[in-house]
């Protein structure tokens, strides 16, 4: 199968080249613009981001300590009715995820019912025994979820991944919109786009609603960052700033009188809710990695005693594990009693002999991912790999089949980007951001659209040369 | 606010102030080099290096004490941890670390300063464009200060920033005086010589005080008058008296905000009283050098006390 031979669904134009309804407002405006001016604005976009300092650090790349994720000025548009359908599916899925996590760490009804094999939990590093029997404040495990969706047709959105640990990218959703509004203000007077700017306020409200039993008065929220050298530091600072929360590092925190407290200029003051952007493993040197200086010694004890809310809860990573992912249809049905509204991408679990055989026989047509991997690292894209790469990967696969899943090479939908030669279609995905609190599930109308800038490429990860677009959800 | 953030804001503004003052010092040295002979220029460049504590570092490069070598060492040498470029970088790194304590304008002004100066200093500065480089450094500092003044809430964050600024500025002015004190001592042989005039002029220029001094003294210049101006004249924004008046005001706001004073307030009150109550005659008679030395040490003690009182570090 040759990727160039795919006929992908283009979101802006139909097969006859006519503009689809979603883009009629935008294209009407676009036709009136002068190409040279648009090109200059496209180039100026980078300046906006540099000035604001929206950069990310690439691990293992010393020379480029701070890089920009390329931004494309053509928006990605979703109609009101498409969005309504999507949000229903996302809400159902996120409800199921939280119920699943609670069950996993308590009675494990789903295993007892024979709907999920126990081995997936037993040797899974993302499963935290420290969470067993404990219910987080408000019963919420995944306070913030990013659901990665791909589109393959007019009505076909599929879930590629559930990011339930610490989904990043929401600052791009917000800053991409700010940049678009600064560059093309009149565009927003012509096309009714739903605003995304109150996401930080919603996040603050949602986190405050999950305050622990020990909290008195207005909950104190803090964002825990690994520090300025972390690849997503900008986002941590941005969110803390927008929420009016403190941005803390592990060295600012300690346990004082059974609470997690931060060192302020007036002494140690307790925190009620901690939005941590530090992985489970580094959260508490007493419970997890003893060498970690990024977390707080003793936070797990305080947590279990009701002294702090940790968002997302430790141990939620098990639910976005790729082996668990393949069971999501069963999981959704088991906990909601409904058929899943959003489909999974068909997935072969290489741990199963029959699937492994199929995957090995069809390696050149498949995408193979590590079960615990993320960020596009360590994956194989069959159709674009050389014979040598395929052979090398086959060896890894045979050595540890349980470490991999495989999926068909999807023909992701395309949205045009602005190039020197005019508009040209490129593959995209979509990550909407979902907030969960005891009062409900809240989905901001928009999200992060990632776009593979290279012609024909299906890899949208920013660490692998992907870019972003502003994502528009239209008003009704 | 977090102790770490207070520390970050404090140092961000110390670095910005130091970078700006270093540019002024270079400006004065450059002018001296242009208007005096090679030997006077060499002495001047050495004293610039001594003032900012980089003489030993520069000596290891083995370069001659001439304009291009000294200015490039101070402005952009990668091996010089106190170069202007590294100070701006340090200011920006601190600003990133305390991003949530700053308004968007202050952050962007700081970030843009860093981007601009990094480009400007990516190539060695030549004598022909040194003036532009130094002007750019001063301009960037002015931008950050303006953004600060126009957008920051007048709370503890603002006060820690200002305290950092004035601790650093008082230190910098005092160091210039300390290195040049002998120029300001009455010396029968030299009084009124053209070299004296040039030296005095340089001291004033290094703190951007030449114009103000001339305006106040109608063209006549004498060392005692200059010392008085830089130490005691509360109207001049780089004098020790001015800096300490501002420190008292910002520390006073902190005390009100926190509902009480700390040990640092006591130290500051004593130091400010010494400036207020000591006339220039006493300072000169008892030793300008000693006075300045004690002032610098006292200034450092106040900075340390602030860091301890407000829990800058664990």
């Amino acid at each position: 199968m040759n990727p160039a031979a795919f006929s992908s669904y283009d979101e802006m134009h139909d097969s006859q080249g006519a503009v689809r309804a979603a883009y009629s407002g935008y294209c009407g405006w676009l036709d009136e613009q002068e190409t040279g001016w648009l090109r200059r604005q496209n180039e100026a976009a980078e300046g906006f981001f540099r000035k604001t300092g929206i950069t990310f650090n690439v691990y293992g790349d010393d020379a480029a300590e701070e890089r920009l994720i390329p931004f494309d000025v053509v928006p990605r548009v979703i109609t009101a009715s498409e969005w309504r359908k999507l949000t229903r599916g996302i809400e159902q899925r996120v409800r199921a995820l939280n119920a699943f996590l609670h069950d996993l760490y308590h009675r494990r009804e789903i295993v007892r019912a024979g709907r999920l094999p126990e081995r997936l939990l037993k040797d899974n590093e993302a499963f935290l025994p420290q969470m067993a029997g404990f219910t987080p404040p408000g019963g919420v495990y995944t306070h913030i979820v990013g659901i990665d969706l791909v589109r393959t047709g007019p009505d076909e959105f599929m879930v590629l991944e559930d990011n339930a640990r610490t989904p990043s990218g929401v600052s791009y959703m917000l800053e991409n919109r700010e940049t678009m509004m600064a560059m093309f203000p009149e565009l927003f007077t012509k096309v009714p786009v739903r605003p995304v700017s109150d996401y930080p306020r919603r996040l603050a409200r949602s986190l405050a609603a999950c305050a622990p039993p020990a909290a008195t008065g207005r909950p104190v929220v803090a964002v825990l960052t690994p520090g300025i050298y972390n690849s997503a530091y900008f986002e941590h600072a941005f969110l803390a700033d927008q929420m009016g929360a403190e941005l803390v590092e592990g060295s600012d925190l300690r346990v004082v009188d059974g609470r997690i407290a931060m060192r302020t200029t007036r002494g140690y003051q307790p925190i009620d809710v901690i939005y941590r952007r530090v992985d489970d493993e580094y959260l508490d040197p007493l419970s997890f990695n003893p060498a970690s200086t990024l977390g707080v010694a003793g936070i797990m004890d305080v947590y279990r005693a009701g002294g702090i809310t940790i968002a997302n809860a430790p141990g939620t990573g098990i639910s976005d594990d790729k082996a668990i992912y393949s069971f999501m249809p069963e999981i959704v049905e088991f906990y909601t009693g409904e058929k899943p509204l959003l489909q999974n991408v068909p997935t072969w679990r290489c741990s199963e002999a029959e699937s492994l055989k199929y995957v090995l026989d069809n390696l050149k047509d498949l995408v193979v991912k590590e079960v615990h991997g993320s960020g596009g690292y360590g994956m194989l894209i069959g159709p674009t790999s050389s014979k040598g790469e395929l052979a090398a990967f086959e060896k890894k696969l045979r050595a540890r089949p349980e470490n991999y899943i495989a999926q068909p090479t999807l023909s992701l939908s395309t949205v045009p980007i602005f190039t020197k030669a005019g508009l040209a279609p490129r593959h995209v995905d979509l990550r909407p951001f979902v907030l969960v609190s005891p009062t409900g599930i809240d989905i901001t109308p928009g999200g992060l659209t990632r776009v593979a800038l290279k012609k024909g490429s299906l890899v949208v990860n920013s660490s692998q040369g992907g870019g972003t677009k502003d994502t528009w959800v239209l008003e009704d | 606010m977090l102790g770490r953030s207070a520390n970050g804001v404090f140092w961000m503004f110390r670095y910005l102030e130091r970078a700006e003052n270093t540019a002024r010092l270079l400006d004065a040295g450059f002018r001296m080099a242009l208007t005096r002979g090679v030997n006077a220029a060499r002495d001047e460049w050495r004293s610039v290096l001594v003032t900012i504590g980089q003489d030993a570092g520069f000596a290891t490069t083995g370069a001659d004490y001439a304009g291009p070598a000294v200015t490039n060492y101070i402005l952009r040498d990668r091996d010089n941890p106190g170069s202007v470029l590294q100070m701006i970088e340090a200011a920006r790194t601190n600003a990133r670390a305390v991003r949530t304590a700053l308004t968007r304008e202050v952050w962007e002004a700081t970030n843009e300063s860093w981007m601009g100066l990094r480009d400007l200093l990516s190539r060695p500065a030549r004598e022909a464009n040194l003036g532009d480089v130094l002007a750019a450094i001063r301009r960037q500092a002015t931008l950050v200060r303006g953004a600060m003044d126009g957008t920051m809430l007048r709370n503890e964050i603002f006060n820690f920033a200002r305290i950092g600024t004035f601790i650093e500025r008082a230190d910098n002015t005092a160091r210039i005086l300390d290195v040049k004190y002998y120029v300001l001592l009455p010396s029968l042989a030299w009084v009124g010589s053209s070299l004296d005039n040039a030296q005095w002029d340089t001291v004033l220029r290094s703190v951007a005080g030449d114009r103000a001094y001339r305006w106040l003294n109608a063209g006549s210049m004498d060392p005692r008058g200059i010392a008085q101006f830089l130490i005691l004249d509360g109207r001049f924004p780089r004098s020790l008296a001015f800096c300490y008046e501002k420190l008292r005001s910002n520390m006073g706001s902190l005390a009100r905000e926190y509902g009480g004073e700390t040990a640092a307030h006591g130290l500051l009150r004593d130091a400010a009283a010494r400036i207020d109550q000591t006339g220039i005659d006493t300072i000169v008679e008892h030793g300008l050098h000693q006075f300045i030395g004690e002032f610098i040490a006292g200034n450092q003690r106040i900075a340390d006390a602030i860091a301890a009182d407000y829990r800058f570090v664990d």
Side-chain angles (χ1 to χ4, degrees):
Chain A
M1 216 167 20
N2 175 352
F6 288 155
S7 62
S8 299
Y9 176 78
D10 188 78
E11 299 188 12
M12 184 186 277
H13 297 105
D14 66 20
S15 51
Q16 263 72 53
V19 173
R20 294 185 197 274
Y23 285 83
S24 63
Y26 175 74
C27 288
W29 170 86
L30 187 67
D31 287 344
E32 294 166 10
Q33 309 309 311
E34 195 231 321
T35 316
W37 178 74
L38 278 174
R39 188 159 48 234
R40 282 192 300 280
Q41 289 294 88
N42 193 43
E43 282 157 12
E46 186 175 321
F48 276 92
F49 286 95
R50 284 247 179 251
K51 202 173 81 173
T52 336
I54 308 184
T55 55
F56 74 108
N57 306 350
V58 182
Y59 293 119
D61 191 347
D62 286 341
E65 191 210 314
E66 291 168 29
R67 277 218 239 145
L68 289 181
I69 298 184
F71 172 72
D72 177 70
V73 295
V74 182
R76 197 269 183 89
V77 186
I78 296 164
T79 64
S81 65
E82 285 167 352
W83 183 250
R84 253 194 312 276
K85 257 178 92 175
L86 272 182
T87 50
R88 274 199 296 271
I90 293 169
E91 203 182 311
Q92 178 196 50
R93 195 161 172 115
V94 171
R95 251 190 300 133
L97 276 176
N98 272 281
F100 171 59
L101 282 161
H102 185 271
D103 187 29
L104 270 191
Y105 287 112
H106 292 83
R107 290 180 47 80
R108 297 200 178 177
E109 303 285 2
I110 193 166
V111 177
R112 290 169 200 234
R115 305 287 290 273
L116 187 80
E118 183 157 28
R119 65 175 164 78
L120 283 185
L121 310 176
K122 253 173 80 186
D123 304 320
N124 199 317
E125 283 172 16
F127 179 82
L128 297 184
Q130 291 88 340
M131 289 296 290
F134 173 71
T135 304
V140 178
Y141 284 84
T142 60
H143 305 78
I144 301 118
V145 194
I147 303 281
D148 285 355
L149 300 164
V150 295
R151 186 177 198 177
T152 52
D155 261 331
E156 288 137 53
F157 280 95
M158 284 188 271
V159 178
L160 190 61
E161 225 172 276
D162 305 284
N163 295 283
R165 300 169 207 229
T166 42
S168 62
V170 77
S171 57
Y172 291 94
M173 170 178 88
L174 298 166
E175 287 295 314
N176 286 355
R177 178 64 56 80
E178 287 297 316
T179 303
M180 284 294 278
M181 292 199 298
M183 288 196 301
F184 310 112
E186 79 287 2
L187 181 51
F188 289 86
T189 65
K190 301 213 158 101
V191 185
V193 181
R194 292 182 65 185
V196 291
S197 56
D198 60 346
Y199 175 84
R201 216 170 22 250
R202 292 171 170 205
L203 173 61
R205 210 168 43 215
S206 183
L207 289 172
C210 299
T216 52
R218 206 179 101 189
V220 176
V221 177
V223 178
L224 174 63
T225 175
I228 61 168
Y229 299 108
N230 182 268
S231 64
Y233 176 77
F234 167 77
E235 178 159 300
H236 309 160
F238 178 85
L239 287 175
D241 187 38
Q242 296 277 312
M243 285 197 288
E246 284 291 356
L247 179 66
V248 299
E249 297 179 12
S251 62
D252 297 320
L253 305 177
R254 64 160 63 152
V255 177
V256 178
D257 299 333
R259 304 293 311 275
I260 297 301
M262 56 184 168
R263 194 182 74 248
T264 75
T265 50
R266 298 164 197 259
Y268 279 90
Q269 291 184 350
I271 295 171
D272 298 311
V273 181
I274 197 156
Y275 174 23
R276 48 88 179 221
R277 298 294 295 255
V278 168
D279 290 344
D280 285 353
E281 191 193 341
Y282 302 105
L283 201 52
D284 186 347
L286 301 184
S287 295
F288 311 114
N289 183 344
S292 170
T293 55
L294 302 179
V296 195
I299 192 173
M300 282 305 286
D301 288 342
V302 173
Y303 183 49
R304 292 185 58 105
I308 184 106
T309 295
I310 302 176
N312 288 354
T316 51
I318 183 103
S319 67
D320 67 18
D321 184 273
K322 291 189 181 67
I324 298 282
Y325 162 87
S326 64
F327 286 94
M328 273 312 284
E330 287 89 339
I331 289 171
V332 169
E333 228 184 305
F334 188 78
Y335 296 104
T336 65
E338 303 158 4
K339 289 272 172 216
L341 299 170
L342 278 172
Q343 302 308 308
N344 257 17
V345 175
T347 302
W348 291 275
R349 298 184 275 265
C350 301
S351 56
E352 294 164 9
E354 228 170 279
S355 300
L356 177 64
K357 184 175 180 310
Y358 176 85
V359 172
L360 287 170
D361 289 348
N362 296 279
L363 203 53
K364 65 178 189 339
D365 299 327
L366 299 173
V367 176
V368 189
K369 297 174 178 173
E370 284 185 10
V371 172
H372 308 300
S374 67
Y377 292 100
M379 66 191 273
L380 173 93
I381 300 180
T384 61
S385 298
S386 68
K387 278 210 171 99
E389 285 166 334
L390 287 170
F393 205 90
E394 185 178 332
K395 229 185 249 166
K396 288 204 286 188
L397 192 50
R398 283 185 192 280
R400 287 192 63 193
E402 72 287 354
N403 199 32
Y404 296 93
I405 54 141
Q407 293 169 338
T409 315
L410 295 173
S411 84
L412 305 189
S413 62
T414 57
V415 176
I417 63 166
F418 195 85
T419 71
K420 284 202 176 89
L423 296 186
R426 293 291 186 273
H427 296 293
V428 294
D429 77 352
L430 174 65
R431 177 181 292 178
F433 293 94
V434 187
L435 299 172
V436 186
S437 78
T439 53
I441 292 175
D442 180 25
I443 308 171
T444 297
L448 173 67
T449 291
R450 299 185 296 178
V451 54
L453 296 174
K454 240 169 56 195
K455 190 176 174 188
S457 169
L458 294 167
V459 186
V460 296
N461 300 73
S462 55
S463 50
Q464 315 270 311
T468 68
K469 282 173 168 294
D470 188 17
T471 308
W472 291 4
V473 173
L474 300 182
E475 301 268 9
D476 250 327
Chain B
M1 73 186 294
L2 291 178
R4 181 174 53 81
S5 302
N7 189 39
V9 169
F10 179 80
W11 277 101
M12 170 186 166
F13 281 88
R14 284 198 72 162
Y15 282 125
L16 286 173
E17 182 67 24
R18 198 182 295 176
E20 181 186 354
N21 293 339
T22 305
R24 290 187 197 286
L25 207 54
L26 281 176
D27 218 6
F30 183 50
R31 181 161 176 95
M32 185 78 164
L34 286 185
T35 54
R36 302 287 137 177
V38 175
N39 287 333
R42 189 170 289 134
D43 288 346
E44 189 53 37
W45 285 127
R46 190 191 296 270
S47 94
V48 166
L49 285 161
V50 170
T51 305
I52 56 176
Q54 296 181 6
D55 193 33
F58 181 76
T60 62
T61 66
D64 190 26
Y65 283 83
V70 175
T71 49
N72 279 298
Y73 180 78
I74 292 175
L75 284 174
R76 57 184 292 275
D77 196 310
R78 273 280 144 202
D79 297 326
N80 176 11
S83 72
V84 168
L85 188 56
Q86 303 236 11
M87 278 190 272
I88 298 284
E89 221 161 83
R92 192 237 181 201
T93 302
N94 273 295
R96 264 192 99 201
V98 300
R99 178 63 190 79
T100 52
L102 306 174
T103 58
R104 189 170 183 138
E105 269 104 313
V106 173
W107 157 249
E108 287 185 1
T110 311
N111 192 38
E112 281 182 76
S113 295
W114 170 73
M115 292 192 297
L117 292 174
R118 193 185 42 168
D119 285 353
L120 206 57
L121 294 175
S122 61
R123 297 166 301 279
R126 287 171 299 110
E127 270 157 354
N129 69 0
L130 184 63
D132 294 344
V133 171
L134 297 176
I137 296 169
R138 286 195 306 265
R139 199 163 45 239
Q140 303 294 4
T142 305
L143 266 181
V144 177
R145 199 160 33 235
M148 175 85 187
D149 191 63
T151 64
M152 292 278 291
L153 201 62
R154 295 316 197 252
N155 62 2
E156 52 189 341
I157 300 170
F158 184 82
N159 284 311
F160 283 119
R162 299 296 276 175
I163 290 165
T165 300
F166 290 112
I167 286 278
E168 184 65 31
R169 187 181 294 174
D171 173 86
N172 294 175
T173 298
R175 280 180 197 281
I176 289 168
L177 281 166
D178 196 36
V179 171
K180 289 294 177 80
Y181 81 96
Y182 61 90
V183 174
L184 299 174
L185 290 179
S187 145
L188 284 177
W190 278 8
V191 168
S193 77
S194 75
L195 181 62
D196 265 359
N197 272 320
Q199 293 270 25
W200 297 338
D201 192 53
T202 306
V203 172
L204 287 169
R205 270 178 189 277
S206 345
V207 291
D210 46 327
R211 201 187 157 275
Y213 185 84
R214 274 198 301 275
W215 190 81
L216 287 169
N217 295 283
S220 76
M221 224 183 246
D222 75 293
R224 182 177 299 238
I226 293 173
Q228 178 174 29
F229 180 62
L230 297 186
I231 297 171
L232 300 177
D233 197 325
R235 297 168 298 177
F236 176 56
R238 311 197 101 75
S239 74
L240 304 188
F242 181 91
C243 293
Y244 268 52
E245 183 45 46
K246 289 288 173 191
L247 275 178
R248 266 209 296 214
S249 149
N250 291 118
M251 288 288 284
S253 306
L254 267 190
R256 277 191 299 282
E257 200 173 344
Y258 281 66
E261 296 196 340
T262 67
H265 287 89
L267 291 176
L268 177 63
R269 202 168 19 248
D270 294 347
R274 260 196 302 285
I275 294 175
D276 284 351
Q277 290 156 17
T278 317
I280 191 64
D281 293 339
T282 321
I283 292 174
V284 173
E285 271 158 40
H286 288 86
L288 179 61
H289 184 54
Q290 196 186 335
F291 178 86
I292 295 295
E294 282 167 9
F295 176 84
I296 292 174
N299 192 55
Q300 181 59 46
R301 274 195 300 278
I302 293 169
D304 291 344
I306 292 169
D309 295 348
Y310 294 100
R311 299 169 182 84
F312 282 9
V313 289
D314 207 2

